[in-house]
Amino acid sequence: MANYGTLLVVDDNASIFTTLEICLDGVFERILTLTRPEDVLVTLKQEAVDVILLDMNFSLGVNSGQEGLLWLQAIHRRHPNIPIVLMTAYADVRLAVNGLKSGATDFVTKPWDNHELIRVLKDAIDASTEVIPLGKMEEQHVRKVVDKCHGNISKAAEMLEISRQRLYKKLGK
C-alpha cells in the first residue's frame, strides 16, 4: 500500500518517468513529473509534495550539475521543508558534496539500484517528518477542543468523553 505521499520528479528525459513509475509502484500515492525545472515553483504552489527527485543536468550536452545546484537552491529557499534528492548520471564526489552543502537531503546516480532509491526517498521523507510525542499531541488536542468550546469546560469534557475533573488535570499539566 502506498503510504509515502507525493513524489515530484524533475528530469528532462521522459523515459526516466516510466522507469521510476515502475520502480516506485506502490511506494507513493502520487508521482508528479516535470521535464522543465522552470515549472517546479509553480507546481509547488498548486500541489503538496513530500519529496522531490531532481535531475542535475537539463541542457543538452551539459553535465556539470550546476543547473541542478541552482534549482536546488531556488527550491530550497522557497520550500525549505521539502526534502530534495539529487540525481545524475555524471556523478563525482565533489558534486555530491556540493549538493549536500546546498541543501539536498541525499544524492543518487543513474542508473540507480531500485531498492537503494526507494530507501533514499523514504529516508528523506522520514527525516523531514517531525514526530510529536503522544503526550504533547494529546495536550494540543485537548487545548484545541477547549478553545473550540470557548473555554466551556463542561462542554469540552463532554466532547472529549472524559470527566471535568480529568480535563482539569490534563489542562494543569
Side-chain angles (χ1 to χ4, degrees):
M1 177 176 206
N3 60 356
Y4 272 89
T6 301
L7 166 67
L8 173 61
V9 181
V10 187
D11 196 306
D12 59 330
N13 183 348
S15 64
I16 292 291
F17 302 148
T18 304
T19 306
L20 284 169
E21 286 174 359
I22 293 167
C23 168
L24 301 173
D25 183 44
V27 177
F28 290 91
E29 291 173 24
R30 293 178 49 207
I31 298 175
L32 306 174
T33 58
L34 297 174
T35 56
R36 297 169 8 107
E38 296 85 7
D39 298 333
V40 171
L41 297 175
V42 171
T43 299
L44 292 176
K45 285 182 182 177
Q46 301 166 347
E47 300 282 349
V49 171
D50 297 291
V51 64
I52 299 171
L53 184 58
L54 177 66
D55 190 28
M56 296 197 67
N57 299 300
F58 294 95
S59 298
L60 192 60
V62 175
N63 59 17
S64 68
Q66 293 307 305
E67 290 173 297
L69 292 176
L70 290 173
W71 282 108
L72 165 68
Q73 293 166 353
I75 296 165
H76 193 64
R77 264 194 308 276
R78 289 172 185 81
H79 303 277
N81 297 325
I82 300 175
I84 302 171
V85 175
L86 297 174
M87 171 176 63
T88 186
Y90 305 98
D92 66 25
V93 174
R94 190 173 344 146
L95 185 57
V97 169
N98 285 341
L100 295 172
K101 283 183 177 179
S102 296
T105 304
D106 213 329
F107 190 91
V108 295
T109 57
K110 298 176 191 174
W112 59 81
D113 172 87
N114 289 346
H115 297 292
E116 179 66 10
L117 177 64
I118 291 168
R119 184 199 60 76
V120 165
L121 293 171
K122 284 181 172 183
D123 286 354
I125 291 172
D126 291 343
S128 71
T129 306
E130 180 184 358
V131 176
I132 300 171
L134 191 57
K136 184 152 181 81
M137 188 182 296
E138 180 186 44
E139 180 184 328
Q140 290 172 348
H141 180 69
V142 166
R143 293 201 181 280
K144 188 183 293 183
V145 170
V146 170
D147 288 344
K148 183 176 182 175
C149 294
H150 305 289
N152 183 328
I153 298 298
S154 296
K155 187 175 180 181
E158 184 179 321
M159 284 181 75
L160 292 167
E161 298 179 347
I162 61 175
S163 68
R164 287 179 52 200
Q165 292 80 10
R166 182 158 176 138
L167 178 55
Y168 278 120
K169 284 182 184 177
K170 289 188 179 294
L171 292 171
K173 284 186 180 178

